[in-house]
Amino acid sequence: MNRHRAVAFRAAVQSGHNQRLVPLPFDPVNQWSTPARPLWKCGHGHRVRGSLNGQNFQGAVVERAGAFWLLLDEALFAAAGLVVGQLVDVLIEPEEI
């Protein structure tokens, strides 16, 4: 992990739009000087990697309602033993493309 680009923070797991998410306390475009890219059909954001409560993952950050969110897939949510409302320690950086 590139420690100069990695960002560590603590936030609460939230639920919305049938997904579990963690709010980012920063704007990834400004933090990493990289624009959002296509992630899937009709979706843009940032591909990221890192750890969540010590569990390594690869995932995506998206913008919704003027905020940036780390999307948690079901496998990561289960592997990390998470519940909505729980505080988690996150360390993320953008994936190099």
Side-chain angles (χ1 to χ4, degrees), residues 11-78:
V13 175
Q14 298 184 20
S15 181
H17 300 286
N18 298 319
Q19 291 182 308
R20 280 143 185 137
L21 318 105
V22 174
L24 269 66
F26 63 92
D27 176 339
V29 174
N30 291 332
Q31 180 74 31
W32 295 322
S33 299
T34 57
R37 301 175 195 269
L39 297 175
W40 51 79
K41 186 177 181 179
C42 300
H44 288 76
H46 301 268
R47 294 210 180 275
V48 296
R49 65 179 173 210
S51 66
L52 184 117
N53 279 359
Q55 184 76 35
N56 291 335
F57 72 91
Q58 290 180 300
V61 168
V62 297
E63 183 177 6
R64 291 193 180 142
F68 293 93
W69 303 88
L70 171 63
L71 303 179
L72 304 179
D73 66 25
E74 289 299 321
L76 176 60
F77 191 80

Side-chain angles (χ1 to χ4, degrees), residues 7-13 22-25 53 86-91:
V7 178
F9 63 95
R10 177 175 269 197
V13 175
V22 174
L24 269 66
N53 279 359
Q86 177 181 350
L87 285 177
V88 292
D89 292 312
V90 181
L91 178 66

